[in-house]
Amino acid sequence: MAARGVGLLTLLPLCARRSQVLRPIHRLLSRAGTVAADVRREEQSSGSVETGSEDRTPKKKFSEVQKERREQAQRTVLIHCPNKISEKKFLKYLSQHGPINNHFFYESFGLYAVVEFCQQESVASLQSVTRAPSMDTEAAIPFRSRFFNLRLKNPSNQPSEQPHAQCSSQSSPSSKKLFELLCYAESIDDQLNTLLKEFQLTEENTRLRYLTCSLIEDIAGAYFPDCTVRPFGSSVNSFGKLGCDLDMFLDLDEIGKFSAHKTSGNFLMEFQVKNVPSERIATQKILSVIGECLDHFGPGCVGVQKILNARCPLVRFSHQASGFQCDLTTNNRIALKSSELLYIYGALDSRVRALVFSIRCWARAHSLTSSIPGAWITNFSLTIMVIFFLQRRSPPILPTLDYLRTLADAEDKCIIEGHNCTFIRDLNRIKPSGNTETLELLLKEFFEYFGNFAFNKNSINIRQGREQNKPESSPLHIQNPFETSLNISKNVSQSQLQKFVDLARESAWILQQQDQDRPSPSSHQPWGLATLLLPSVANSLCLAKKKKKKPASERIKNLLESIKRSSAENSTDTNGESTVSTQP
Ligand code: CTP
Ligand code: MG
C-alpha cells in the first residue's frame, strides 16, 4: 500500500500534463474513424469498465441475457445493400412492414444493414414480398431466409446529395491508433481499461453474433424444427475480442421435451427414431447432415469443413456476410455452462476483464496464441490462468468454484452427463471482494507469478483455487472446471510453455524497470503496457532472445528475486509458497 501511495504522488504532475495532451488527440482519432461508432462504443464501454464493487446496478443472469438477445435476433434481418444508400429512404421502405426498434450498417465486402423490427410478424411480412433472384447464367437454390439482398430498381434515381448510411466498425483499432491511445493514457490502469474498451465486442458486434446464430438455426431448423443454435465461448462469456471466432452449439434437447408432460392416461407416445450405437455417432451423423445443408443451401456460408473425428466433433465454416469464422458443435452443454461461469467471473469485478484482455493481447502480440490449432496456449487457458491468479490474491479478488457451489440454491442445481456443474447463477448474491489492488500491480504480479510457477509438478485448478499435484505429465495442466478429469491445455508443448514463462519473466522485468524510469509523454516513447504489446517490442524481444544463449538470463532472475523480496515486504505475496523453474 505504501509503495502505491508513493507511485501515485510521483505520477501526479505527469498525469496532469497527459490529460492536457489527451483531449485534442482523442478528437483527432474520432474524426479518423466513424464518429457515431466511436460515440456508441464510448457509451457502451463506459458502463462495462466500472468495477464490480463500485457499480451497484443489478446485473443480469447469463440465461436472461441469452434469452433477451435470442428474441432480439429472431426479430432481426440482415440485408446486403447497394453501396450508396440513403438511410432515411431505406428505413422508410422497411417500416412498411412494421416499426423498427434498432438498426445499424457495417461494411464487410459490401455494405450490410442489420435491422431489428419491434415485432416478429414484420419479418414474415418482408419475406412475403421478397422474390427469388433471377439469374442469367447460374441457377439459384430457393431458400427463404432472413438474409436479403436489396437492389435499386433505378440506381440513377438515388440523388448523390442524400446523406449516406454511417457504418459501425466491426474491427479492433489499428496498431497505430492503439499505440497513441496507450501512450497518452494517464496510468497503467488507464492503459488496461483503454485496451479493454477498444477490443471488447461492441453492442453491434454482439447483435451480429446472435443474429448469425439465429440465421444458422433457421437452416438447421429445416431438419430439426425445434432445435436451438446458441452462441457460447468468448462471444458470450464477456472475454471476446473483436474478431474472435463464433462458437455455436446446436441444442436438440428441447425436441423430446414436449411429449413428457402432454401424455395422459396409461399411454406413452414416443417418436419412431433411427438408433445408432453411441451418442458420439449420433452427434457425427447430425453434424454431417447440417454441414451438408450449410454447404449446399446456407446463404453466405462458405468453406464448410466437417471435422467429425475430433474429441468434440464440429462443423467449421465462414459466414461471409458477418465475417465470422464459425465452429458449430452439438451435445456441448458443458461448454455453455463454462461460458456462464466465465461470464459470472467477468462481471464480479471490472479488473478481471481488463486483466484478461491485456494478457490475451500480450499473448497474441508475442505469437503465444494463434488462430491455427497447434501446440500453443489458448485464450480459454489464459483466461482460466488469470481467474486462478485472482483467486490466489490476498484477499482473493475472485471466489473459487467450490465456494460458488456452496452459494447455489435448489434452482441452480445442474448435473450434465454425470458432471456436477452447479454454482450460483445470480451474481448479485455474490459479495464483492475487499481487495483494492491496482491493475498495474496485478499485471506485474501476474507475470511474476506465472514466470515462477511450478508447472513441472503443479496443476491449475479454479474449482479449489489452489495448485494441485499434476495427475499426468502434460507440460501444462489446467483442470477443466466441470469435466475434472480433462486437461484444457493438453495440447501445449514444453517449448511453448517455456516461451510463455520466458516472456512472462521478461515482461515482469520490463515493468519493474519502468517503475524507476518512465519515459515522459513528450518523448512519444511507448511505456507501460504499450512496451509489452507493440509488434516492434515483440520483435525486439524476439531479437534479444535470439542473441541469448539461455532462455532467461541470470540478470532477469536476480531482478525477479529482488522484485519478489520487495513485494514480500509490501505484503502482497499471496500464498507464501516457494517457486521452482518449469524445467523438470
Ligand atoms: N472449451 C473447453 N475446453 C477446451 C477448449 C474449449 O471447455 N479445451 C470450451 C470453453 O467453454 C471455451 C469454448 O469451448 O470458451 C470455446 O473454445 P475456444 O473458441 O477455443 O475459446 P474461446 O473462449 O471462445 O476463446 P477465443 O476468443 O480464442 O475463441
Ligand atoms: Mg471461441
Side-chain angles (χ1 to χ4, degrees):
M1 287 299 273
R4 221 176 310 130
V6 173
L8 278 176
L9 277 178
T10 45
L11 265 179
L12 215 54
L14 205 64
C15 297
R17 270 184 285 136
R18 276 206 179 106
S19 49
Q20 281 166 11
V21 195
L22 191 64
R23 275 184 220 107
I25 287 220
H26 266 159
R27 236 175 280 138
L28 200 82
L29 289 171
S30 358
R31 235 179 283 134
T34 59
V35 180
D38 275 4
V39 169
R40 271 200 297 273
R41 191 183 282 188
E42 279 300 313
E43 283 169 356
Q44 180 221 346
S45 310
S46 57
S48 347
V49 289
E50 294 291 313
T51 62
S53 43
E54 290 158 15
D55 182 8
R56 298 264 168 236
T57 47
K59 295 197 174 90
K60 284 182 188 160
K61 277 188 190 172
F62 181 75
S63 55
E64 289 166 350
V65 177
Q66 293 264 317
K67 189 165 177 270
E68 255 175 48
R69 291 282 188 192
R70 191 176 138 70
E71 282 167 6
Q72 191 177 64
Q74 285 169 336
R75 286 181 273 112
T76 304
V77 296
L78 179 61
I79 306 176
H80 183 225
C81 300
N83 267 344
K84 288 184 177 168
I85 188 167
S86 151
E87 185 168 2
K88 208 171 148 199
K89 285 189 175 175
F90 172 76
L91 293 177
K92 194 171 165 216
Y93 171 72
L94 286 176
S95 304
Q96 296 174 74
H97 301 284
I100 293 168
N101 200 33
N102 197 299
H103 78 283
F104 66 92
F105 291 88
Y106 69 93
E107 269 170 358
S108 162
F109 301 106
L111 181 68
Y112 291 87
V114 171
V115 180
E116 182 207 332
F117 286 103
C118 295
Q119 292 134 12
Q120 211 169 332
E121 300 88 82
S122 305
V123 175
S125 164
L126 176 61
Q127 280 172 325
S128 71
V129 299
T130 302
R131 58 174 210 159
S134 53
M135 301 272 176
D136 298 334
T137 52
E138 295 169 310
I141 296 174
F143 187 76
R144 283 162 62 90
S145 72
R146 281 181 287 141
F147 180 16
F148 303 92
N149 194 32
L150 180 70
R151 290 169 61 167
L152 295 174
K153 279 189 197 151
N154 187 352
S156 55
N157 267 3
Q158 185 90 351
S160 56
E161 69 272 14
Q162 283 281 348
H164 296 307
Q166 288 269 342
C167 281
S168 121
S169 168
Q170 303 301 312
S171 51
S172 46
S174 66
S175 306
K176 185 168 175 280
K177 182 179 170 186
L178 183 65
F179 168 83
E180 285 170 337
L181 288 171
L182 294 184
C183 283
Y184 286 100
E186 297 186 351
S187 61
I188 291 188
D189 283 45
D190 194 15
Q191 287 186 324
L192 268 82
N193 282 324
T194 300
L195 189 92
L196 170 63
K197 256 167 133 178
E198 293 298 316
F199 280 89
Q200 70 185 349
L201 302 183
T202 58
E203 167 64 20
E204 289 84 359
N205 198 271
T206 302
R207 280 171 178 265
L208 193 52
R209 284 170 189 270
Y210 279 87
L211 173 60
T212 306
C213 287
S214 187
L215 295 176
I216 300 304
E217 183 180 300
D218 287 352
I219 299 168
Y223 274 101
F224 304 104
D226 298 307
C227 74
T228 309
V229 173
R230 305 180 192 281
F232 71 99
S234 60
S235 297
V236 296
N237 66 18
S238 79
F239 294 106
K241 260 168 61 188
L242 283 169
C244 68
D245 69 355
L246 172 55
D247 303 292
M248 305 171 178
F249 156 56
L250 174 69
D251 189 353
L252 301 172
D253 272 12
E254 296 299 317
I255 292 176
K257 279 190 184 157
F258 294 106
S259 56
H261 48 268
K262 286 204 175 158
T263 53
S264 59
N266 202 22
F267 293 112
L268 183 68
M269 197 70 93
E270 285 179 346
F271 287 113
Q272 277 282 350
V273 291
K274 281 231 170 195
N275 291 337
V276 286
S278 70
E279 193 74 40
R280 181 173 169 84
I281 295 175
T283 299
Q284 288 169 330
K285 283 188 183 287
I286 292 165
L287 284 177
S288 176
V289 85
I290 299 292
E292 291 291 314
C293 204
L294 292 175
D295 198 15
H296 296 308
F297 311 121
C301 300
V302 297
V304 179
Q305 296 172 55
K306 295 193 270 180
I307 309 170
L308 303 179
N309 288 324
R311 187 189 71 81
C312 185
L314 71 134
V315 173
R316 179 165 290 167
F317 61 97
S318 293
H319 191 257
Q320 239 178 355
S322 60
F324 297 137
Q325 176 73 31
C326 305
D327 278 353
L328 177 70
T329 55
T330 185
N331 219 352
N332 206 1
R333 201 164 273 283
I334 294 186
L336 192 65
K337 210 60 195 163
S338 34
S339 303
E340 180 169 11
L341 178 67
L342 261 51
Y343 168 85
I344 288 178
Y345 277 131
L348 278 180
D349 189 298
S350 71
R351 288 169 291 183
V352 183
R353 292 177 68 229
L355 196 58
V356 168
F357 271 70
S358 294
I359 298 299
R360 282 186 171 208
C361 287
W362 166 83
R364 192 74 192 91
H366 295 274
S367 306
L368 284 169
T369 51
S370 166
S371 52
I372 310 160
W376 347 105
I377 204 159
T378 62
N379 281 323
F380 180 54
S381 296
L382 286 171
T383 308
I384 299 286
M385 287 167 91
V386 175
I387 291 170
F388 181 74
F389 164 73
L390 295 175
Q391 290 175 335
R392 304 293 297 154
R393 303 305 296 165
S394 180
I397 292 179
L398 288 178
T400 64
L401 176 52
D402 276 346
Y403 177 70
L404 294 181
R405 195 158 108 193
T406 63
L407 297 180
D409 56 29
E411 286 189 354
D412 296 322
K413 192 166 182 226
C414 175
I415 311 283
I416 305 172
E417 294 159 18
H419 301 286
N420 193 340
C421 303
T422 305
F423 55 86
I424 182 168
R425 292 173 303 160
D426 180 358
L427 53 106
N428 300 301
R429 286 176 45 215
I430 308 167
K431 202 168 160 258
S433 163
N435 180 307
T436 56
E437 287 170 318
T438 62
L439 280 168
E440 174 173 357
L441 180 78
L442 292 171
L443 182 68
K444 220 181 302 172
E445 300 251 329
F446 173 87
F447 289 132
E448 205 189 311
Y449 183 77
F450 283 113
N452 291 284
F453 190 85
F455 288 108
N456 60 329
K457 62 174 181 133
N458 284 339
S459 161
I460 291 164
N461 178 324
I462 62 162
R463 189 163 263 281
Q464 296 176 357
R466 60 184 165 82
E467 300 94 345
Q468 281 191 318
N469 286 339
K470 278 206 291 194
E472 37 114 336
S473 61
S474 306
L476 176 60
H477 193 280
I478 304 176
Q479 192 191 60
N480 184 306
F482 301 116
E483 291 172 277
T484 51
S485 63
L486 296 182
N487 172 11
I488 65 163
S489 50
K490 204 175 171 62
N491 61 312
V492 178
S493 65
Q494 180 62 43
S495 64
Q496 282 301 318
L497 176 63
Q498 193 58 54
K499 189 174 162 190
F500 169 85
V501 170
D502 291 345
L503 280 160
R505 288 178 177 179
E506 284 176 348
S507 299
W509 177 70
I510 288 168
L511 288 175
Q512 178 69 16
Q513 286 298 293
Q514 288 193 355
D515 255 1
Q516 295 143 21
D517 186 18
R518 183 166 291 182
S520 80
S522 55
S523 70
H524 299 289
Q525 290 295 307
W527 64 280
L529 186 59
T531 329
L532 305 181
L533 285 185
L534 288 168
S536 56
V537 179
N539 291 341
S540 68
L541 276 176
C542 286
L543 281 176
K545 279 171 69 61
K546 273 182 195 155
K547 282 184 202 153
K548 280 185 227 159
K549 279 195 180 134
K550 284 187 178 179
S553 68
E554 283 305 312
R555 190 168 53 100
I556 294 174
K557 277 189 189 162
N558 292 341
L559 269 158
L560 277 170
E561 282 308 317
S562 71
I563 301 170
K564 251 191 290 166
R565 273 197 301 277
S566 66
S567 44
E569 280 157 21
N570 289 325
S571 61
T572 49
D573 189 15
T574 54
N575 47 29
E577 286 166 19
S578 61
T579 53
V580 289
S581 151
T582 60
Q583 298 294 351

